[in-house]
Amino acid sequence: AVVRRIIEPKGLLLPQYSNAPQLVYIERGRGMTGALFPGCAETFQESQQQGGSSRVQDRHQKIRRFRQGDILALPAGVAHWCYNDGNEPVVAVYVLDTSNSNNQLDMSPRHFYLAGNVEEEFRQQFESGREGSRPEPYSTSRRKRQQGSCNNLFCGIDSRLLAEAFNIDLSLARKLQSESDFRGSIVRVEGVELDIVRPARTEQERIEQVEPCRDGGRCPVGGAGGHCNGIEETFCTMRMRENIADPSRADVFVPEVGRLSTVNSHNLPILRWLRLSASYVVLRNDAVRLPHWYLNAHSIMYAVRGQGRVQVVDEYGYSVFDGNFREGQVLVVPQNFVVVKRSDCDLFEYVAFNTNDNAMTNDLAGRTSALRAMPVEVIANAFQVSVEDARSIKFSREETTFALSRSRSVPIAEA
């Protein structure tokens, strides 16, 4: 499932969790988020001078900053909130992998809100889906009959039990149920700014700095001996963010043609737990992402900027998709289906969310392709061509991953 959220300045996404692990791509803007890991210490706290002696000093779990181009990893069942402290809207694209083994419910995506009175994002899909796709005890209509207009997790609990659980009076306990709150899942923060304990931006960026490992990966500063085995990151302080839109961290780069950046369990160990990964691709000047397939993952593509021509081919050689793919659209490429992409403008950018923490691709054309790995004689006999033609098929394309289109006017099928 895919969700695209826009959080305006001073907007707060109410705390919630999902039944499926999520990868979040920050398409635009910057802000902060808190992931609420069970049992972890409240390591951010007010000082005595800041809090004063007349009230209890605030303490909470770690705050993590995010910015444009970041991938955020959110485990299933781990509640989080987001706040936009910038001057422009935050645009965030969420992908939920409901087929992941960490989801022990059915395949329906669910958001569990700790606050507010939020209308269920996926209700329309549930009501228009297959009959019986969602068990009756969890249907929207039945919950509405039981709870009236209240939708958060506290609504189904007797307010007197809530008062006892939190050791507060009954009127305050009823406010947890947000029965008269109709602001939705994103609310505007009252006052000048959200006043929480956090390091200054430059200091936090220094804390989150990473350094190269001996084996070519990346791990937190201070990791013993520079080895990336994941042990250096404690459960409560593990990195959840990696920027993949920064050109300086490209894994594949061809000037004026394109670049590719990947985040997987090697450079962001939390993804080993989520079994997800992502890549960011930029195509310039009608460049082509050479035809390829994913060996071990489905790929969910989201177009960030511009548009391109995409073809997807199944095991029968049938083109299951052949069309334009433009900004704001989502396209699913199943495992092992061959896909080829070409930019239809000066700049085409997309992010691919993959259902494996170490998603692997194999090209059909180019220097590192499957055909390049075959003997010329095998190619000649397989395609019933001469040895010279087989050599041309094998060696004519020397680039890998990306290539310039032969002509801006030639369609993919002819090129």
Side-chain angles (χ1 to χ4, degrees):
V2 180
V3 178
R4 186 174 185 265
R5 290 191 172 100
I6 300 177
I7 307 174
E8 298 291 339
K10 296 180 66 177
L12 173 68
L13 174 65
L14 294 177
Q16 45 96 7
Y17 60 87
S18 171
N19 61 318
Q22 304 175 75
L23 284 187
V24 187
Y25 176 71
I26 305 301
E27 184 177 351
R28 188 171 59 156
R30 72 181 190 198
M32 65 182 76
T33 183
L36 315 178
F37 287 99
C40 291
E42 300 160 338
T43 55
F44 283 32
Q45 54 188 344
E46 289 182 331
S47 64
Q48 290 288 341
Q49 293 80 5
Q50 184 178 354
S53 57
S54 61
R55 63 182 177 91
V56 177
Q57 283 75 45
D58 189 23
R59 297 189 298 268
H60 53 74
Q61 289 189 13
K62 180 176 180 176
I63 303 297
R64 294 168 169 90
R65 298 204 60 84
F66 60 81
R67 62 185 176 91
Q68 179 175 330
D70 279 350
I71 285 284
L72 303 177
L74 298 173
V78 173
H80 82 287
W81 54 266
C82 288
Y83 176 65
N84 181 354
D85 65 346
N87 299 318
E88 64 173 339
V90 167
V91 180
V93 179
Y94 291 69
V95 171
L96 295 81
D97 182 15
T98 56
S99 64
N100 195 285
S101 61
N102 287 311
N103 173 29
Q104 299 296 304
L105 298 175
D106 57 32
M107 296 290 287
S108 301
R110 291 176 168 90
H111 285 138
F112 298 80
Y113 280 87
L114 277 66
N117 186 11
V118 181
E119 184 172 342
E120 189 173 11
E121 290 98 335
F122 300 104
R123 181 195 303 176
Q124 182 177 352
Q125 287 88 332
F126 292 151
E127 294 176 348
S128 63
R130 296 191 308 271
E131 184 177 354
S133 62
R134 194 166 199 193
E136 170 60 22
Y138 296 98
S139 67
T140 302
S141 59
R142 179 161 180 166
R143 286 183 300 156
K144 288 289 186 182
R145 290 196 299 270
Q146 289 177 343
Q147 299 167 194
S149 61
C150 182
N151 270 353
N152 72 49
L153 292 173
F154 294 118
C155 298
I157 303 176
D158 188 281
S159 55
R160 290 165 295 185
L161 289 178
L162 283 178
E164 292 182 14
F166 283 89
N167 194 24
I168 55 179
D169 61 56
L170 187 59
S171 61
L172 185 56
R174 286 172 177 160
K175 290 186 178 180
L176 292 175
Q177 298 174 325
S178 306
E179 290 188 356
S180 59
D181 187 351
F182 302 100
R183 296 175 295 172
S185 61
I186 302 172
V187 303
R188 184 174 177 83
V189 170
E190 302 295 336
V192 179
E193 187 182 352
L194 194 66
D195 186 16
I196 60 177
V197 182
R198 65 187 188 276
R201 182 171 294 118
T202 54
E203 182 180 353
Q204 181 149 352
E205 290 171 350
R206 179 186 61 79
I207 294 173
E208 295 178 353
Q209 180 184 359
V210 293
E211 65 180 5
C213 290
R214 293 176 181 174
D215 60 0
R218 301 173 72 181
C219 62
V221 172
H227 294 289
C228 272
N229 56 15
I231 296 176
E232 289 80 13
E233 294 187 301
T234 67
F235 178 82
C236 296
T237 60
M238 60 180 150
R239 287 194 307 120
M240 301 174 61
R241 176 182 67 87
E242 178 78 9
N243 193 283
I244 58 173
D246 187 348
S248 65
R249 86 165 298 298
D251 298 312
V252 179
F253 174 69
V254 182
E256 302 304 319
V257 176
R259 71 174 190 268
L260 180 148
S261 302
T262 301
V263 57
N264 54 32
S265 57
H266 296 299
N267 50 21
L268 192 60
I270 189 177
L271 296 180
R272 187 176 297 112
W273 177 18
L274 273 62
R275 299 183 181 179
L276 296 171
S277 60
S279 59
Y280 191 86
V281 176
V282 177
L283 294 175
R284 298 180 179 274
N285 304 320
D286 290 355
V288 175
R289 170 62 176 100
L290 295 175
H292 61 282
W293 73 88
Y294 281 91
L295 280 70
N296 56 355
H298 303 306
S299 183
I300 299 90
M301 297 168 51
Y302 174 78
V304 175
R305 189 170 293 106
Q307 68 175 18
R309 171 88 177 278
V310 179
Q311 289 185 320
V312 181
V313 180
D314 67 8
E315 70 270 31
Y316 299 108
Y318 177 72
S319 181
V320 296
F321 180 83
D322 182 1
N324 288 327
F325 180 51
R326 62 181 182 273
E327 181 176 335
Q329 290 185 329
V330 173
L331 177 65
V332 176
V333 180
Q335 178 184 3
N336 300 144
F337 283 36
V338 169
V339 58
V340 58
K341 308 132 185 172
R342 186 185 70 188
S343 174
D344 279 347
C345 54
D346 292 336
L347 184 64
F348 174 44
E349 303 179 33
Y350 65 90
V351 59
F353 303 90
N354 306 314
T355 58
N356 191 299
D357 63 285
N358 189 23
M360 301 173 65
T361 61
N362 198 343
D363 287 354
L364 269 181
R367 194 176 69 249
T368 59
S369 68
L371 266 64
R372 190 65 174 263
M374 296 180 190
V376 168
E377 290 285 345
V378 172
I379 296 175
N381 283 274
F383 295 101
Q384 292 185 302
V385 298
S386 67
V387 172
E388 285 304 313
D389 285 342
R391 291 184 185 277
S392 179
I393 292 171
K394 179 172 180 176
F395 295 110
S396 291
R397 176 63 71 188
E398 287 297 324
E399 297 91 345
T400 181
T401 308
F402 302 116
L404 279 175
S405 176
R406 288 165 51 190
S407 171
R408 296 193 176 197
S409 62
V410 178
I412 287 180
E414 298 177 12

